[in-house]
Amino acid sequence: MDYNIPLIAGAVLSAIAALLHVCVIFGGPAWYRFFGAGERMAAGAAAGHLYPALVTVLIASVLATWAAYALSGAGVLQPLPLLAFALPAITAVYLLRGLVVVVLFLFARRRLTAFWVWSSLICLVYGVVHLVGLLQVWDRL
């Protein structure tokens, strides 16, 4: 069987993002700040609140699920439920999140932080990788 390489790459990218989110929890407040989670999340982590860790675990879980769906779409895993809906939805979320920086800059005239620029570029790359893979497997979904 031929596996879809772009979707495998997308799965790896999502898995790396999930793992980074888990590392942020263990890295503590400095990691929350470095990765742009904001002072509220960093201060909450410093104070020992559960909220930052729970939010971060939720994000990591979503990203890990997205990695599994990409592997399923690539043919590495058996088809997961709602695969034909999930893959386009995941791709759309990555692409829209990647393009949010353009909207913020052009329409909201908001000053963009490094976090917004870098995270948007990363999401845009993830979205394009998923889109290439999705287009290649679209007829068999």
Side-chain angles (χ1 to χ4, degrees), residues 21 24-25 27-38 41-42 45 52-54 56:
H21 279 80
V24 166
I25 296 168
W31 282 51
Y32 279 99
R33 286 184 188 97
F34 178 80
F35 284 102
M41 292 286 278
L54 290 175
T56 308

Side-chain angles (χ1 to χ4, degrees), residues 8-32:
I8 292 172
V12 169
L13 292 171
S14 292
I16 289 169
L19 182 61
L20 265 174
H21 279 80
V22 171
C23 289
V24 166
I25 296 168
F26 293 104
W31 282 51
Y32 279 99

Side-chain angles (χ1 to χ4, degrees), residues 17 25 33 46 50 53 58-59 72 81 87 90 92 109-110 126 135:
I25 296 168
R33 286 184 188 97
L50 286 177
L58 177 65
I59 294 168
S72 179
L87 270 182
I90 292 164
R109 294 292 178 192
R110 181 175 170 178
Y126 283 30
L135 292 174

